Amino acid sequence: MFKIGDIQMKNRVVLAPMAGVCNSAFRLTVKEFGAGLVCAEMVSDKAILYNNAKTMGMLYIDEREKPLSLQIFGGKKDTLVEAAKFVEKNTTADIIDINMGCPVPKITKCDAGARWLLDPDKIYDMVSAVVDAVEKPVTVKMRMGWDDEHIYAVRNAQAVERAGGKAVALHGRTRVQMYEGTANWDIIKEVKQSVNIPVIGNGDVQTPQDAKRMLDETGVDGVMIGRAALGNPWMIYRTVQYLDTGELIGEPSVREKMEVCKLHLDRLIALKGETVAVREMRKHAAWYLKGIRGNAIVRNAINTMDTRDELVNLLDEFTLEAEAKQQNSIQAG
């Protein structure tokens, strides 16, 4: 277990803040599978201050998700501080996180996201200003560096700590790597050894065994799971159980996967309305289907679905077909 400020986590497994994915419907579903902390997708400081309708919707929190970390990004101190103050006053988020890891050009060209990684002094300046402005714990999610020539992870993490930040989540890739190549766990270990605040390791945790190995090899306080949880909240549950008991629980059945997919769909509809939710759910449904034999045709069909009933009927038909095939193969065996 670990604490961020005065917020106690019930375990060491953290859901990463993934843009375009980590809305309340997804977070709550993952939370119910046991995540110790869930992180909301990043929100622009300027969009908060402009009271942008879509952005205000992104700030919605279901109380069942807590503890929750809400992530903001920006390149200028005054707007970042004002956005943090707005989040503190107008949401029930437990933690305010600052994004210093997003590698996408439209973010970095605004001096936000991973752009900060080149300047430890700016990190200190920005984080200390936010810390001074709010009561809630302030944390930072960052990458290990901009490129191989500019890896300031240790200095950057120390700047966060010096500024009053309560934790650092470190993705072991550079900005240039994006999501390619291998995450460098050695730098995560180095950062953990260089600061006294909690460090959460992120990058290449694909299985419960990976999570344990990261904890053992780097000494981090928590392990952050991102893409491995897409369409697969069981990864969270299986990791929590494995770290807790050493038992590796089996993968879910096709029916179990499709039932949770439908629950996720209904939560998304409640959040965004049927039209938007079904369109957004197409990618999630494809993730839920990943790894199941014979899914290619259904994954293509999903992209033509416009209503809840169409999508649910398709998933139900696929479940029955998959179960029938499984039964036949058992009888044949």
Side-chain angles (χ1 to χ4, degrees):
M1 304 319 112
F2 69 105
K3 286 176 90 171
I4 294 177
D6 56 356
I7 308 298
Q8 177 74 52
M9 311 307 145
K10 66 177 181 179
N11 59 55
R12 303 168 78 183
V13 180
V14 180
L15 174 69
M18 293 175 281
V21 172
C22 285
N23 53 48
S24 179
F26 179 70
R27 297 191 309 257
L28 178 57
T29 304
V30 170
K31 185 69 173 191
E32 289 175 342
F33 278 83
L37 175 68
V38 294
C39 302
E41 59 187 317
M42 64 178 188
V43 183
S44 156
D45 59 353
K46 288 191 173 70
I48 290 174
L49 301 182
Y50 292 147
N51 212 21
N52 175 280
K54 185 182 174 189
T55 300
M56 292 300 116
M58 290 167 74
L59 298 180
Y60 173 76
I61 297 166
D62 184 310
E63 290 304 294
R64 293 172 290 174
E65 300 175 50
K66 292 158 67 68
L68 174 131
S69 167
L70 201 153
Q71 188 180 76
I72 57 177
F73 73 90
K76 293 191 165 56
K77 185 163 52 176
D78 56 345
T79 48
L80 198 71
V81 165
E82 288 308 311
K85 283 157 73 171
F86 183 93
V87 168
E88 172 152 276
K89 190 176 171 187
N90 297 283
T91 80
T92 58
D94 301 280
I95 295 160
I96 297 172
D97 188 60
I98 301 171
N99 180 299
M100 294 187 208
C102 182
V104 180
K106 75 172 181 181
I107 305 295
T108 57
K109 75 180 181 190
C110 301
D111 284 337
R115 193 80 204 171
W116 291 33
L117 301 172
L118 291 163
D119 191 349
D121 292 335
K122 175 177 179 171
I123 289 173
Y124 172 78
D125 191 36
M126 300 278 271
V127 175
S128 61
V130 174
V131 167
D132 289 346
V134 297
E135 297 292 323
K136 291 180 178 180
V138 176
T139 60
V140 167
K141 168 95 167 37
M142 66 184 192
R143 286 177 172 246
M144 69 176 185
W146 181 262
D147 56 26
D148 288 343
E149 281 71 52
H150 301 87
I151 295 177
Y152 305 147
V154 168
R155 284 169 60 195
N156 290 342
Q158 288 171 338
V160 170
E161 181 177 37
R162 211 166 63 249
K166 298 299 185 192
V168 169
L170 181 64
H171 184 155
R173 285 183 172 84
T174 62
R175 184 266 168 180
V176 168
Q177 274 182 283
M178 300 291 278
Y179 299 97
E180 303 298 320
T182 307
N184 182 339
W185 289 8
D186 290 337
I187 198 83
I188 296 174
K189 180 179 182 178
E190 220 177 300
V191 166
K192 173 57 194 163
Q193 291 172 344
S194 74
V195 294
N196 295 308
I197 55 175
V199 175
I200 301 164
N202 179 217
D204 292 352
V205 177
Q206 304 292 338
T207 65
Q209 297 97 313
D210 289 339
K212 183 169 190 326
R213 195 163 56 81
M214 176 181 271
L215 289 165
D216 291 346
E217 289 181 11
T218 66
V220 287
D221 303 271
V223 59
M224 186 172 267
I225 295 171
R227 288 173 293 168
L230 295 175
N232 187 19
W234 294 269
M235 169 61 183
I236 302 288
Y237 177 71
R238 294 172 73 237
T239 300
V240 170
Q241 294 302 311
Y242 184 67
L243 295 178
D244 204 24
T245 66
E247 182 190 359
L248 198 57
I249 293 167
E251 296 281 0
S253 67
V254 174
R255 182 168 291 274
E256 286 173 309
K257 282 192 166 189
M258 295 306 102
E259 288 304 315
V260 172
C261 182
K262 291 187 288 185
L263 171 67
H264 185 171
L265 167 64
D266 285 337
R267 285 179 171 160
L268 203 52
I269 289 170
L271 191 67
K272 300 191 174 191
E274 185 173 16
T275 305
V276 174
V278 171
R279 200 176 304 130
E280 201 171 294
M281 196 65 198
R282 291 170 182 173
K283 63 184 178 189
H284 287 281
W287 287 325
Y288 279 100
L289 287 160
K290 195 176 172 188
I292 302 174
R293 281 177 60 192
N295 70 20
I297 295 168
V298 188
R299 284 172 73 170
N300 287 335
I302 283 167
N303 290 325
T304 67
M305 302 287 127
D306 292 312
T307 68
R308 177 197 182 274
D309 289 349
E310 285 176 336
L311 185 49
V312 167
N313 289 340
L314 184 70
L315 296 176
D316 286 345
E317 284 169 23
F318 177 73
T319 302
L320 292 172
E321 283 173 20
E323 287 176 340
K325 283 178 192 167
Q326 189 178 26
Q327 196 60 38
N328 290 341
S329 67
I330 289 168
Q331 289 169 351

